[in-house]
Amino acid sequence: MASAITTLAADAPTLSAANTGFMLICSALVMLMTPGLAFFYGGMVRVKSSLNMLMMSFISLGIVTILWVLYGFSLAFGTDSGSLIGWNSDYVGLSGIGITELWDGYTIPVYVFAVFQLMFAVITPALISGALADRVKFSAWALFTALWVTVVYFPVAHWVWGAGGWLFELGVIDFAGGTAVHINAGAAALGVILVIGKRVGFKKDPMRPHSLPLVMLGAGLLWFGWFGFNAGSWLGNDDGVGAVMFVNTQVATAAAMLAWLAYEKLRHGSFTTLGAASGAVAGLVAITPSGGAVSPLGAIAVGAISGVLCAMAVGLKYKFGYDDSLDVIGVHLVGGVAGSLLVGLFATGGVQSDVAGLFYGGGLEQLGKQAIGVFAVLAYSLVVSAVLALLLDKTIGMRVTEDVEVSGIDQVEHAETAYDFSGAGGGVAPRNSAAPAPAASKKVDA
């Protein structure tokens, strides 16, 4: 008995400074993704609503952080109850956790795991905001964010990643958030826009991005931060799986960008900057659930397939009449579904687990499990999000007035504008200046 106790003690995980430092860096990278998303979305809207778009992402850093500390971490990763939700009173306020207490089975402190998962919780509601551009009251959005993470994100995170969660126990593979983050956000976006309706001028007025450089900056920050998002989700570097995920993240993103641009050229005749940025994000989304299960060649397939599917999907809003302002459904919902299901085809059985997909002799079993996870999260998030939006719309109101929407939501909701054009010309030349008077400034299309 004594020798057995000694062996168990020797085998128990001990705090790893290397893994802890790595995970803190990954947490910071994931945090950077939310401002990156703000730039990505902010550049895609018109001038008159760009600040509002930035703020809809940025406010999530405040709201979700506080809720996560108060009760979110406990609900998502506490002791399982009925395979649906967790709870641990020690996690409430993060007050009962020792500073060197390790996350069960790993070599990193609970605090590190909690802050890493916090950043996932922060960016997920921010993803939804892109579908709602130009037309939602900021106060209503802030309240929706608080309610949504409480009744949708925290429970779904427990289903997918929490010990005892029903999708976790079923064996659904979601390495870093295809279901819990991207399908969850995309389905929520669809539920909300079905309630609040279309923008004024949808399918009639031009609604082009006001700053493609901002879009590319945001896409670059997302791509950079996504290495922490994906590679960090293995919670350490002891067996090489995180390294494979890092490589697959780069490979799939590159393949998706090229596939999107190829589709765009064949379909519309041009390689666009917006297409390159959107294709990259589509690849990042699709490899998120699958990258720990596939080989680099499989990652090329996942990226290429998802790039084409997402490029095709963004046009569906015009066919079916739902106003997904910045293609959250076309990129995040469709990309998340594709990446999650493709696990059932391309999983090699030699990376994160021995589960093999159809193309590697595993049959259809894993594909079936993936489908259950995909459609369970999609249905739950869609319905609950629509109900939340309806309740808010009938009480405090979700939408700004038509006059505010037309004139610009930034000035009314935030008392600011993104750019100051007052010094853009039109001044009087000095009396003895040899330079000609500047031409009158042109009216800027907001």
Side-chain angles (χ1 to χ4, degrees):
M1 180 66 70
S3 60
I5 294 174
T6 302
T7 301
L8 289 173
D11 291 341
T14 58
L15 192 150
S16 166
N19 285 340
T20 298
F22 171 72
M23 290 306 301
L24 289 173
I25 292 170
C26 286
S27 300
L29 286 171
V30 182
M31 179 271 165
L32 184 66
M33 291 172 67
T34 298
L37 181 71
F39 283 125
F40 182 69
Y41 282 168
M44 289 174 69
V45 296
R46 291 168 288 179
V47 169
K48 63 185 180 181
S49 55
S50 54
L51 287 182
N52 180 253
M53 200 71 260
L54 291 167
M55 281 292 288
M56 288 178 79
S57 288
F58 212 76
I59 193 63
S60 188
L61 283 161
I63 294 171
V64 180
T65 296
I66 300 304
L67 297 184
W68 185 257
V69 170
L70 293 178
Y71 58 81
F73 182 55
S74 183
L75 290 175
F77 291 101
T79 303
D80 177 70
S81 178
S83 297
L84 296 175
I85 199 67
W87 188 257
N88 185 334
S89 59
D90 288 341
Y91 295 167
V92 175
L94 304 184
S95 58
I97 303 170
I99 61 172
T100 59
E101 181 182 343
L102 299 183
W103 185 243
D104 190 28
Y106 291 89
T107 59
I108 61 173
V110 175
Y111 272 116
V112 175
F113 178 76
V115 78
F116 180 67
Q117 287 294 335
L118 162 62
M119 302 311 174
F120 282 67
V122 165
I123 197 172
T124 306
L127 292 171
I128 303 169
S129 67
L132 316 178
D134 300 328
R135 60 200 190 274
V136 173
K137 293 178 182 176
F138 187 70
S139 56
W141 168 250
L143 183 54
F144 176 84
T145 297
L147 294 173
W148 188 85
V149 294
T150 300
V151 300
V152 179
Y153 182 81
F154 298 157
V156 169
H158 182 76
W159 298 355
V160 176
W161 294 318
W166 74 277
L167 293 178
F168 180 87
E169 296 298 326
L170 179 64
V172 174
I173 293 175
D174 185 354
F175 194 95
T179 54
V181 175
H182 297 289
I183 293 173
N184 204 0
L190 179 58
V192 176
I193 60 178
L194 291 177
V195 171
I196 68 171
K198 309 174 185 68
R199 288 169 291 178
V200 175
F202 176 64
K203 294 201 291 187
K204 297 177 182 178
D205 299 338
M207 297 180 179
R208 293 184 292 271
H210 89 279
S211 176
L212 286 169
L214 275 186
V215 174
M216 293 298 282
L217 172 63
L221 289 172
L222 284 169
W223 194 332
F224 177 66
W226 223 292
F227 290 115
F229 195 86
N230 280 357
S233 289
W234 200 239
L235 305 183
N237 281 315
D238 296 327
D239 55 9
V241 174
V244 173
M245 185 56 164
F246 192 107
V247 171
N248 285 345
T249 298
Q250 177 70 15
V251 169
T253 306
M257 180 178 66
L258 295 176
W260 186 301
L261 288 173
Y263 174 85
E264 196 172 53
K265 178 65 174 178
L266 292 172
R267 183 73 174 83
H268 304 292
S270 301
F271 302 113
T272 69
T273 307
L274 183 60
S278 299
V281 173
L284 291 164
V285 170
I287 202 62
T288 291
S290 58
V294 305
S295 68
L297 288 176
I300 292 176
V302 169
I305 292 168
S306 301
V308 172
L309 288 176
C310 291
M312 296 170 63
V314 296
L316 294 177
K317 62 185 178 183
Y318 300 110
K319 181 177 181 180
F320 294 108
Y322 60 88
D323 185 8
D324 176 15
S325 308
L326 307 182
D327 302 319
V328 177
I329 296 162
V331 173
H332 293 277
L333 179 57
V334 173
V337 169
S340 297
L341 294 179
L342 289 172
V343 171
L345 302 180
F346 292 106
T348 66
V351 189
Q352 73 177 88
S353 70
D354 60 0
V355 174
L358 178 64
F359 297 161
Y360 288 83
L364 294 172
E365 181 180 0
Q366 190 61 37
L367 182 60
K369 293 178 180 179
Q370 297 300 117
I372 291 171
V374 163
F375 293 108
V377 173
L378 194 161
Y380 179 76
S381 184
L382 174 66
V383 172
V384 177
S385 302
V387 170
L388 289 176
L390 185 62
L391 289 173
L392 290 174
D393 195 46
K394 296 299 183 182
T395 52
I396 65 173
M398 282 286 284
R399 290 191 66 145
V400 297
T401 65
E402 183 174 334
D403 288 343
V404 169
E405 186 177 334
V406 171
S407 63
I409 195 171
D410 284 358
Q411 188 64 57
V412 173
E413 290 289 305
H414 306 290
E416 298 169 309
T417 56
Y419 305 99
D420 180 8
F421 297 109
S422 62
V428 178
R431 177 172 295 180
N432 296 321
S433 174
S441 60
K442 295 182 179 179
K443 182 179 179 182
V444 176
D445 180 14

